[in-house]
Amino acid sequence: MIFNNFVKLLQKNHIIARFLEDSYCRIPYYFSSGRALNPLSVVFLTTYRCNLRCKMCFYYNESEEANTLKTIKERGPEELAVEQVYKLIDELSLMKVRVFTIHGGEPLLYKDFFKIAQYAQDKGLLVNFITNGTLITEDFAKKIVEAKINQITFSIDGPQSVHDAVRNVPGTFQRMLSGIRNICSLKEQGHAIPNLSVSTYISAINQSYLSEIVQILHQYGIKSWGAGLVTYNSEKLANSTRNILGLKSNIREGSLEHLSDSMIFIDKGTLSKQKREIIDLNKNYKIDIYFPSDKAIDKYDDPSFNEADRCFYPWARVVISPYGEVFPCINLAMVGFSLGNIKDEPLSKIWNSQKFREFRRKLRTRKLLPICSKCCTINGIRKLRN
């Protein structure tokens, strides 16, 4: 607990924060038998419902949409009620968790989104949320500012025609920009607004238009952009992972096993050219841009290549589904590897339970699992230098 408080204090410095977070994971990774210090970060997937049908989405890509809609229909009543989320947040506060990331689906479709965001903020957590931006009306923008949310990450895939093609719903680009404008207008009125950042999945559809995103960021004063290669895997990788983990069922929450070539066929020459153009443009804009390394780009078409040789994620972070299931990460949610449910027992007990410790030991022995391939955490992005 004391160490968690110390880390939380020092993490106000970005460089120190990265060093401490790395150490925070590595020390128990190497020197404990599957146990971990309390998590630094918790990702809460509020709902799998979404108003878009993004072609690279874990839940709504062409091959997975029907399964997701079936899950929502069958398990809708199981979504965590606001009182259950409050109880979770109380526990995170006691565990000195630093970051509470609200994700989805589209988080704004969770009817008590603003209540849980405000509650988490009041409990001292840094509240981030990831959104497609299309639902941020003027009223919602005011509520976001009132809740004192720390950071919003918008998804932008390119200029209008490209963005709408990736998101698979016409008009998405303009509604997303309207959401950003609604937030920015409050800053012009003198209100403190959340930090704004943008994320982009690089795919075959948008690989030729990435430099145009820099212009959009500059226009709206957004100073942070992370662009990562689309995650993909296969039935072979998923089934191999199930066998290693001893899973008998094919139940899953999301899948990237059947993404089409129209999404994952990356042309290395095109992407390298875009990278150079982005660097040139950013000499004037000074945006913090994070981009795949040259090695990650070069090896992208190798389904088994990972830039890192091991994963520390389950030693400092955890994912909670809309139904209360605790997953080590989103990739392992795709093979249904649940370590417990916060409806049945507190996260603090699940976090270092026998099952979680056994999993960590197995992961440390194997270093990576087959389904880790192309994970955006393992194949990290690097800050571009001008």
Side-chain angles (χ1 to χ4, degrees):
M1 191 72 72
I2 294 173
F3 189 65
N4 276 57
N5 283 326
F6 182 62
V7 169
K8 195 170 182 178
L9 176 65
L10 293 182
Q11 280 179 329
K12 292 180 180 179
N13 181 290
H14 179 69
I15 296 174
I16 293 175
R18 294 194 66 178
F19 172 77
L20 284 175
E21 288 182 12
D22 188 59
S23 301
Y24 193 92
C25 301
R26 286 177 182 267
I27 291 171
Y29 180 94
Y30 288 111
F31 298 106
S32 75
S33 183
R35 295 188 68 85
L37 299 167
N38 285 345
L40 290 175
S41 174
V42 170
V43 176
F44 173 43
L45 307 174
T46 55
T47 181
Y48 289 139
R49 288 173 287 126
C50 191
N51 59 322
L52 302 185
R53 293 296 181 265
C54 305
K55 293 181 179 179
M56 71 298 188
C57 178
F58 297 83
Y59 313 112
Y60 288 100
N61 66 75
E62 186 178 38
S63 299
E64 192 60 18
E65 178 182 358
N67 186 66
T68 297
L69 294 176
K70 181 173 180 289
T71 298
I72 291 170
K73 182 178 180 180
E74 293 176 351
R75 302 191 66 185
E78 296 178 43
E79 276 193 5
L80 293 173
V82 66
E83 293 80 11
Q84 292 170 310
V85 183
Y86 286 164
K87 185 176 178 181
L88 168 65
I89 292 169
D90 287 340
E91 188 177 16
L92 300 185
S93 179
L94 289 173
M95 296 173 75
K96 302 301 177 184
V97 170
R98 174 178 177 250
V99 179
F100 184 58
T101 298
I102 306 174
H103 204 337
E106 171 49 51
L108 288 171
L109 289 175
Y110 182 75
K111 67 183 181 68
D112 293 309
F113 169 83
F114 293 107
K115 289 181 180 179
I116 64 172
Q118 181 69 67
Y119 193 79
Q121 176 66 32
D122 290 344
K123 287 291 182 175
L125 280 71
L126 296 178
V127 180
N128 301 338
F129 92 97
I130 300 169
T131 178
N132 60 47
T134 62
L135 301 179
I136 301 180
T137 60
E138 290 183 3
D139 181 54
F140 273 17
K142 291 176 183 177
K143 289 181 178 180
I144 288 169
V145 169
E146 289 169 359
K148 294 182 171 62
I149 289 169
N150 297 89
Q151 178 163 314
I152 307 174
T153 300
F154 293 90
S155 301
I156 300 180
D157 301 296
Q160 182 168 329
S161 60
V162 174
H163 183 89
D164 286 1
V166 172
R167 299 286 153 177
N168 226 3
V169 175
T172 298
F173 182 80
Q174 288 300 329
R175 292 199 298 274
M176 177 270 299
L177 287 186
S178 177
I180 294 176
R181 284 194 293 268
N182 288 335
I183 296 288
C184 290
S185 67
L186 292 173
K187 182 178 181 180
E188 294 168 1
Q189 297 170 32
H191 297 281
I193 67 169
N195 294 322
L196 304 183
S197 65
V198 163
S199 69
T200 301
Y201 272 122
I202 300 170
S203 70
I205 295 176
N206 68 352
Q207 61 183 336
S208 299
Y209 304 92
L210 298 171
S211 59
E212 296 186 39
I213 296 175
V214 180
Q215 306 280 11
I216 299 169
L217 300 177
H218 175 64
Q219 180 181 353
Y220 289 93
I222 296 173
K223 292 297 184 180
S224 179
W225 176 35
L229 294 161
V230 163
T231 303
Y232 69 90
N233 51 54
S234 67
E235 287 186 60
K236 180 180 178 180
L237 294 174
N239 289 334
S240 296
T241 303
R242 289 189 181 96
N243 290 336
I244 291 167
L245 297 175
L247 299 174
K248 306 300 181 184
S249 170
N250 286 330
I251 293 174
R252 65 182 185 269
E253 294 181 25
S255 174
L256 295 170
E257 296 174 18
H258 301 288
L259 288 189
S260 66
D261 286 345
S262 65
M263 286 302 296
I264 65 176
F265 184 75
I266 301 293
D267 182 81
K268 299 170 187 175
T270 298
L271 197 50
S272 294
K273 180 182 177 183
Q274 282 290 302
K275 188 174 182 178
R276 291 192 298 271
E277 290 181 9
I278 289 168
I279 291 171
D280 287 341
L281 279 170
N282 200 40
K283 289 177 181 176
N284 295 321
Y285 299 153
K286 309 300 182 185
I287 298 167
D288 289 335
I289 298 177
Y290 298 85
F291 207 82
S293 69
D294 291 339
K295 187 174 184 181
I297 294 170
D298 186 58
K299 295 286 187 178
Y300 180 70
D301 55 0
D302 178 353
S304 62
F305 172 76
N306 285 300
E307 194 164 8
D309 64 354
R310 65 199 68 203
C311 178
F312 300 103
Y313 192 102
W315 276 262
R317 297 169 181 81
V318 71
V319 174
I320 298 175
S321 84
Y323 315 117
E325 299 144 319
V326 176
F327 295 112
C329 64
I330 290 179
N331 274 35
L332 286 171
M334 291 192 287
V335 294
F337 185 60
S338 171
L339 293 161
N341 194 305
I342 63 169
K343 292 179 181 178
D344 302 324
E345 56 184 336
L347 178 63
S348 56
K349 289 190 176 181
I350 296 171
W351 178 248
N352 274 316
S353 64
Q354 181 178 346
K355 187 173 183 180
F356 214 141
R357 295 197 311 270
E358 288 176 353
F359 163 71
R360 291 193 188 104
R361 288 196 293 267
K362 182 172 289 188
L363 181 61
R364 185 175 62 183
T365 298
R366 299 192 64 92
K367 297 187 177 179
L368 293 173
L369 297 169
I371 204 165
C372 297
S373 183
K374 304 308 169 198
C375 168
C376 57
T377 300
I378 296 298
N379 297 286
I381 53 181
R382 307 286 184 267
K383 188 173 182 177
L384 285 185
R385 304 294 179 185
N386 291 329

